[in-house]
Amino acid sequence: QFVETGGGLVQPGGSLRLSCAASGFDFSIYSMAWYRHIQGEERELLAGITSDGQTKYADSVKGRFTISRDNGRNTAYLQMNTLRLEDTAVYYCNMMPPSAQWGQGTRVTVSS
C-alpha cells in the first residue's frame, strides 16, 4: 500500500515536498519511484531510487526534482523545486518497476 501526501497549489518557481508512506512489503529491499499522471497522457516515471540509494531521473525533471528514501520510516520523498505549469499532475509512488497496486496519489497544481 502507498499513501502519497504533500501535494497542493503552488506558484511557478515554487517548491513542494511529497511523501510516500509504504506498507505491506519489505520496503528496504525494493527500488522505489515517483510517477505522475497528467490528464490526457500516460503515467510517466519521474524518478527512481534503488535500495542502496542510486537515483535516476526523467529528463523533464532532472536538476529540479530529488528523490530520497528513509528505510527506517518506510517512506519515500520527492523534493520538487522550480516548479513549472507543466508539472501540474497527480503524483504517485510505487515500486520500480511498479506493482499493480497504486495509491490515491497527491495532486500538484502549479498556477499563478
Side-chain angles (χ1 to χ4, degrees):
Q1 183 179 5
F2 306 102
V3 179
E4 301 92 346
T5 58
L9 174 64
V10 62
Q11 293 186 338
S15 298
L16 284 174
R17 188 193 194 205
L18 307 184
S19 297
C20 168
S23 61
F25 64 99
D26 189 349
F27 179 84
S28 66
I29 67 172
Y30 282 88
S31 295
M32 296 295 297
W34 283 92
Y35 305 79
R36 71 183 176 193
H37 184 216
I38 296 173
Q39 192 170 3
E41 300 183 12
E42 296 290 320
R43 190 157 18 210
E44 174 188 12
L45 170 63
L46 296 178
I49 184 168
T50 64
S51 59
D52 62 352
Q54 296 181 58
T55 59
K56 68 174 185 180
Y57 297 92
D59 288 344
S60 57
V61 304
K62 196 173 296 182
R64 299 189 297 124
F65 291 10
T66 303
I67 188 172
S68 60
R69 64 190 298 161
D70 183 339
N71 289 338
R73 296 178 183 271
N74 287 0
T75 301
Y77 303 97
L78 186 67
Q79 178 66 44
M80 306 188 297
N81 298 328
T82 319
L83 283 160
R84 304 168 179 168
L85 297 175
E86 56 265 35
D87 293 320
T88 295
V90 180
Y91 287 70
Y92 302 86
C93 73
N94 205 317
M95 301 172 180
M96 184 177 65
S99 70
Q101 185 173 13
W102 292 87
Q104 295 290 322
T106 186
R107 182 174 297 276
V108 173
T109 302
V110 184
S111 175
S112 56

